Amino acid sequence: MILGKVIGTVWSTRKDENLVGAKFLIVRQLNLDYTPKDSTVIAVDSVGAGVGEIVLVAQGSSARQTTFTHNKPVDAVIMAIVDKLDVAIKE
Amino acid sequence: MYLGKIIGTIWATRKYEAVNNYKIQLVQPINSQFQKVSSPIIALDTIGAGPGEIIYYVTASEAVIPLDVDMAPVDASIVGIVDSIYVEKK
């Protein structure tokens, strides 16, 4: 999973019919100290996340392992909202 | 499977309900000499490992197999704690 921050929402009327009802969020990948990385990903929301929240995103075929995304053309899904991140061993 | 060292923990109250019973750990991938390789990843803990421990983990959709649920949006799972490693010198 990757750590990221929800920075926006994507609306699209015309899309694959399997994706009707999905909420698409733009997630900016973060380092462990919450500084942003360059990469962003469009992910389907499965936990009710909102803009500004720190989330975990599962990628690849694992993203299809939810009841909503099963067998649908999805490669990134938000699977948790982070309360706290504790780095016990500093680099 | 890959080797890694647990370097921290992530708490999430709200997560996909199939994975509610599992802890989420931060893992630094390492090589057989215990040197860091690449950047830390986030993995689900299926065996009760803790920070500081050397573990191995599976990635991609195979990460769902060790869980006791049919489907879960998980792309990395810790599946074992390493006791020792022996690498023959070349």
Side-chain angles (χ1 to χ4, degrees), chain A residues 1 3 32 56 85-88, chain B residues 4-10 24-29 40-43 51-52 55 78:
Chain A
M1 279 73 75
L3 182 71
L32 295 185
L56 300 182
L85 184 143
D86 179 19
V87 183
Chain B
K5 181 181 184 178
I6 299 185
I7 59 165
T9 307
I10 295 175
I24 305 171
Q25 305 279 27
L26 281 166
V27 175
Q28 170 65 59
I41 62 142
I42 297 163
I55 51 85
I78 297 165

Side-chain angles (χ1 to χ4, degrees), chain B residues 6-7 19 22 28 30 33 35 54 56 59 67 78 88:
Chain B
I6 299 185
I7 59 165
V19 299
Y22 296 95
Q28 170 65 59
I30 57 174
Q33 280 84 46
Q35 292 157 335
I54 307 294
Y56 47 93
T59 57
L67 311 180
I78 297 165
E88 194 147 353

Side-chain angles (χ1 to χ4, degrees), chain A residues 1-3 32 37 46-49 56-59 61-68 70 77 79-89 91, chain B residues 5-16 19 24 26 28 36 39-44 51-52 60-61 64 70-76:
Chain A
M1 279 73 75
I2 61 165
L3 182 71
L32 295 185
K37 290 190 181 186
S46 74
V47 289
L56 300 182
V57 176
Q59 292 182 296
S61 57
S62 305
R64 293 197 296 275
Q65 302 275 348
T66 73
T67 45
F68 177 76
H70 189 55
V77 69
M79 52 78 70
I81 300 173
V82 174
D83 298 325
K84 181 173 162 238
L85 184 143
D86 179 19
V87 183
I89 298 166
E91 287 160 24
Chain B
K5 181 181 184 178
I6 299 185
I7 59 165
T9 307
I10 295 175
W11 280 271
T13 313
R14 192 132 145 215
K15 53 191 176 219
Y16 191 74
V19 299
I24 305 171
L26 281 166
Q28 170 65 59
K36 283 191 286 185
S39 48
I41 62 142
I42 297 163
L44 218 66
S61 52
V64 182
D70 291 337
M71 290 200 302
V74 171
D75 58 14

Side-chain angles (χ1 to χ4, degrees), chain A residues 13-85:
Chain A
T13 312
R14 192 137 144 210
K15 59 188 168 223
D16 188 286
E17 59 186 19
N18 287 314
L19 297 175
V20 173
K23 187 168 116 192
F24 294 97
L25 296 174
I26 309 173
V27 178
R28 180 78 171 265
Q29 196 176 351
L30 299 177
N31 292 307
L32 295 185
D33 57 1
Y34 289 173
T35 54
K37 290 190 181 186
D38 284 338
S39 60
T40 56
V41 63
I42 312 289
V44 171
D45 183 22
S46 74
V47 289
V51 172
E53 285 185 301
I54 309 293
V55 295
L56 300 182
V57 176
Q59 292 182 296
S61 57
S62 305
R64 293 197 296 275
Q65 302 275 348
T66 73
T67 45
F68 177 76
T69 59
H70 189 55
N71 288 336
K72 293 180 182 175
V74 171
D75 65 358
V77 69
I78 295 171
M79 52 78 70
I81 300 173
V82 174
D83 298 325
K84 181 173 162 238
L85 184 143

